[in-house]
Amino acid sequence: MGNVLAASKPPNPSDFGMFGSVPPPSPSTEKKDEVKVENPGTMEELHKKTKEIFPTVFDGARVVLNKGLSNHFQVSHNITLNTQQPGSYRFGATYVGTNQIAPGEVYPILIGDIDTSGLLAANVFHQIGNRLRLKFQAQMANRQFSVAQMQADYKADNYTSSITVINPDLLNNFQGVFVAQYLHSVTPRLALGTELAIQRLNQIPGGQLALLSLSARYTGDDYVCSGTLGMANLHLCYYQKASKQLHFGVEMETNMRMQESVGTIGYYVDLPKADLQFRGSVDTNWNIAAVIEKKLQPMPVTLALSGNLNHRKSSFRLGLGFVIG
């Protein structure tokens, strides 16, 4: 929707005679503030506010070393050790271009990493003009492409439309996964969207399977409500900003075919003066997770402690990590 501008017709001096003066405009004739409807972002960012609350747990020992070689190029070394799986080493490289679209948004971006098992992952992000953004993601294992995904996002003033193609095989009956998404800002606070996913595969009865879902997001002054309703799934999220330091998030995922539902409550504490961040969550499967990150000033080192406890399975996982650089 376009911008809404409420203004009345300005008074005409001839309406008050030759020597008449124009009276001051009444409050009803003053120009009201412009109500701006902004771009709602992509469908991938629909539940972003709530997802950022929950911790990302890990187990074992982890050391990450980030080294900036220039203003545009950076490399990283990631070493992981745990008792459940063999240790691994992953080398990554990131290149950031010079085309700055907005503050903190520079293109093109090239990200790649490879581990000791030979798994190679690559991501390419590029912006064409001010509205069209392209993404390419690929994974290669055993000298073969295991995942190939291409996505195009068109961002208008008040809507975003996206097309995604996953593992396409155009020479073999156009097999693959094709996804079309549309998210529109109806008002400055309300955004509505839809998604159509089509999977074409010879093994599927009829040759293809289509799924349609509807989405909505309402943004308040200090909270965000979002939801997605599919043909067999329901996903609801709620984010609440209690203060500058404390944030809450609630998520519920329901599979109506399996008659299963999982609810999660999480919170995020940010203490800038103490250089401390804490994320915690608990769900209906009795999983309790927490991650604490502490910057060890004045050294460029961040200490991360992770814990995950499941009462029903009587299992506990602990992780210790260091991020250098």
Side-chain angles (χ1 to χ4, degrees), residues 3-324:
N3 296 338
V4 179
L5 185 63
S8 60
K9 181 180 178 182
N12 190 351
S14 61
D15 296 339
F16 303 96
M18 181 179 300
F19 302 99
S21 60
V22 179
S26 61
S28 60
T29 61
E30 291 182 352
K31 183 179 179 180
K32 297 182 180 179
D33 294 336
E34 185 178 3
V35 180
K36 185 177 182 180
V37 180
E38 298 181 351
N39 182 277
T42 62
M43 289 285 288
E44 297 176 350
E45 303 169 347
L46 188 71
H47 309 293
K48 181 180 179 181
K49 276 290 187 179
T50 304
K51 290 292 187 180
E52 291 177 343
I53 298 296
F54 302 129
T56 302
V57 298
F58 62 95
D59 57 340
R62 175 181 299 177
V63 178
V64 179
L65 173 62
N66 297 318
K67 176 65 176 179
L69 303 181
S70 67
N71 294 332
H72 304 282
F73 195 69
Q74 175 182 303
V75 297
S76 64
H77 307 271
N78 192 322
I79 302 174
T80 303
L81 300 173
N82 60 58
T83 58
Q84 302 296 329
Q85 298 177 355
S88 64
Y89 165 76
R90 187 166 73 248
F91 173 78
T94 303
Y95 172 79
V96 179
T98 59
N99 185 18
Q100 185 171 357
I101 304 299
E105 190 174 358
V106 184
Y107 294 96
I109 302 175
L110 287 78
I111 304 174
D113 61 75
I114 185 171
D115 60 14
T116 52
S117 64
L119 178 62
L120 174 64
N123 300 269
V124 179
F125 306 88
H126 189 54
Q127 182 95 5
I128 299 178
N130 296 325
R131 299 187 181 273
L132 183 60
R133 183 175 62 181
L134 304 178
K135 302 179 185 178
F136 176 75
Q137 300 175 345
Q139 289 185 1
M140 180 180 293
N142 298 324
R143 294 173 293 181
Q144 293 182 352
F145 277 103
S146 57
V147 177
Q149 176 176 327
M150 293 166 286
Q151 180 175 337
D153 300 327
Y154 180 81
K155 291 188 175 183
D157 293 336
N158 56 359
Y159 73 88
T160 300
S161 58
S162 305
I163 297 178
T164 305
V165 180
I166 305 173
N167 292 338
D169 190 357
L170 303 182
L171 301 180
N172 188 11
N173 197 23
F174 286 90
Q175 295 189 82
V177 179
F178 306 89
V179 182
Q181 299 173 331
Y182 181 81
L183 187 61
H184 190 108
S185 290
V186 181
T187 68
R189 295 182 180 270
L190 179 62
L192 301 177
T194 183
E195 176 184 274
L196 176 62
I198 301 176
Q199 183 179 12
R200 295 181 57 87
L201 194 63
N202 294 331
Q203 289 78 5
I204 298 178
Q208 68 180 19
L209 176 66
L211 297 174
L212 179 66
S213 63
L214 303 176
S215 301
R217 181 184 63 206
Y218 185 84
T219 304
D221 295 333
D222 56 359
Y223 67 93
V224 177
C225 301
S226 58
T228 301
L229 176 62
M231 302 179 66
N233 299 295
L234 176 63
H235 188 188
L236 299 176
C237 289
Y238 178 79
Y239 162 82
Q240 175 71 53
K241 181 180 179 181
S243 64
K244 293 182 179 180
Q245 294 80 24
L246 183 60
H247 307 256
F248 290 97
V250 181
E251 180 183 39
M252 186 187 72
E253 295 183 273
T254 301
N255 189 323
M256 290 176 280
R257 290 181 180 177
M258 302 297 296
Q259 298 294 314
E260 294 179 352
S261 182
V262 178
T264 307
I265 300 177
Y267 62 96
Y268 167 61
V269 179
D270 184 16
L271 302 176
K273 294 183 179 180
D275 294 322
L276 181 68
Q277 294 182 350
F278 183 85
R279 288 178 171 87
S281 67
V282 58
D283 62 20
T284 53
N285 289 330
W286 299 101
N287 289 310
I288 301 176
V291 173
I292 183 172
E293 297 180 356
K294 168 68 176 177
K295 293 183 179 180
L296 305 179
Q297 299 288 359
M299 299 182 296
V301 179
T302 300
L303 170 66
L305 294 175
S306 171
N308 189 6
L309 174 65
N310 189 299
H311 288 280
R312 180 176 298 178
K313 298 180 181 179
S314 300
S315 64
F316 176 72
R317 294 187 302 166
L318 178 65
L320 172 64
F322 292 93
V323 180
I324 305 173

